[in-house]
Amino acid sequence: MKILEDRILKDGQVLGHDVLKVDNFLNHQVDPMLMQQMGEEFHRLFKDEKITKILTVESSGIAPAVFAGLAFKVPVVFARKHKSVTLKDELYTSVVYSYTKKVSNHISISKKFLNSDDRVLIIDDFLANGQAVQGLVDIIKQADADLAGIGIVIEKTFQKGRELIDKEGIHVESLARIKAFEDGKVIFMDEANTINANN
Amino acid sequence: MKILEDRILKDGQVLGHDVLKVDNFLNHQVDPMLMQQMGEEFHRLFKDEKITKILTVESSGIAPAVFAGLAFKVPVVFARKHKSVTLKDELYTSVVYSYTKKVSNHISISKKFLNSDDRVLIIDDFLANGQAVQGLVDIIKQADADLAGIGIVIEKTFQKGRELIDKEGIHVESLARIKAFEDGKVIFMDEANTINANN
């Protein structure tokens, strides 16, 4: 998605060799006009999948997910993060390890909001090592719902998340796919829009 | 806002004498079409206030805030909750006590996303004891920004939050104002739309 790639080039900040900070339009300050365009793009990509529900994780997934929900006209459920889970009976729960924060969190959703009639589109802000997405996939399996696909805002193709998902034969679409960070610059998979190609 | 009051009557669940659970359209499962209408209503209520930024707190404030941001065409910043704050130099921070969870959290936002040129509209899902809103007001003061107003989805008028805010002369608008829970039923301030009035 060209408008997103351009925004990453303009406002993204590369930290070290594998972190991209996009806190001025996606995960701390949010650009709602961009989110709306992203929601419509997710709809274009998955519109034939008969989606009945969007699933994401708090907090950074919520903004892109609710605009996808608006485009599909379906409810959005955001999984909550907990250090531990006590009331397990009413919840679907999975464990997610965060490589960036080096902690494990439980994520959970109320059983009343996901069931075997649902066809679910997962939306998340980043796909890196794939832990959050795998937790959501696990929850969808527990609910015996159908996983229709996964929509990602920014994918880092050089980390292992995409490979893990591809192994399971899941339909994944990422609005921006980053192949590498070179000298603090972002290089996209789509050759036409890399920094180098613009030189 | 009649459509919101009707939804609360239909889907809200009164727990005990002061808790309203609205997790099937606002703070766990989210109805994006309703959120969009609420965003437009906030715009109608504050459109003359020259808003430059929307401020909220993760996670339940994000959905109404981003649709308000879309209606105003301004960026949305969501404060993050932490148990403790270490990197204070780059952050505006305040402490918020949650009466429902009985814990204190720090909330913080990056200094780069709020400054003295901003006219800020605070959006939050609930106004009960006013703790979250007061934390956000504190952060706006630290940034030397102007507080233009506070937009609340559901206000419980019988708790002390509204009074605290009114004392400071702040422009507050709530889309639904609940005056009491009686026998597990919701009674709104607006007499025309209480359960009793419908009987």
Side-chain angles (χ1 to χ4, degrees), chain B residues 88-177:
Chain B
K88 281 201 178 172
D89 284 358
E90 299 169 358
L91 301 173
Y92 297 118
T93 298
S94 192
V95 178
V96 171
Y97 179 73
S98 164
Y99 283 87
T100 34
K101 296 181 182 169
K102 297 185 174 51
V103 293
S104 284
N105 280 303
H106 286 77
I107 61 168
S108 64
I109 75 159
S110 173
K111 287 186 178 174
K112 62 186 171 181
F113 298 132
L114 197 60
N115 63 58
S116 59
D117 295 333
D118 280 315
R119 277 188 58 81
V120 183
L121 175 61
I122 291 173
I123 297 284
D124 208 5
D125 57 338
F126 270 95
L127 177 63
N129 290 296
Q131 299 296 300
V133 161
Q134 285 201 309
L136 294 173
V137 169
D138 179 32
I139 280 175
I140 290 167
K141 284 178 184 165
Q142 291 175 43
D144 201 21
D146 283 344
L147 172 58
I150 300 175
I152 298 293
V153 179
I154 300 172
E155 175 187 336
K156 293 186 282 184
T157 63
F158 55 89
Q159 289 175 300
K160 66 181 181 190
R162 179 62 178 249
E163 194 186 332
L164 286 173
I165 297 171
D166 280 343
K167 268 187 198 161
E168 302 200 34
I170 300 167
H171 176 192
V172 188
E173 299 278 1
S174 302
L175 303 188
R177 302 189 71 192

Side-chain angles (χ1 to χ4, degrees), chain A residues 27-28 30 58-59 76 80, chain B residues 27 30 58-59 76 80 110:
Chain A
N27 43 31
H28 183 23
V30 176
E58 65 178 355
S59 291
V76 176
R80 294 203 169 266
Chain B
N27 44 28
V30 176
E58 66 179 356
S59 291
V76 176
R80 293 198 170 271
S110 173

Side-chain angles (χ1 to χ4, degrees), chain B residues 61-78:
Chain B
I62 295 175
V66 292
F67 283 105
L70 183 70
F72 282 96
K73 300 194 189 311
V74 301
V76 176
V77 179
F78 59 90

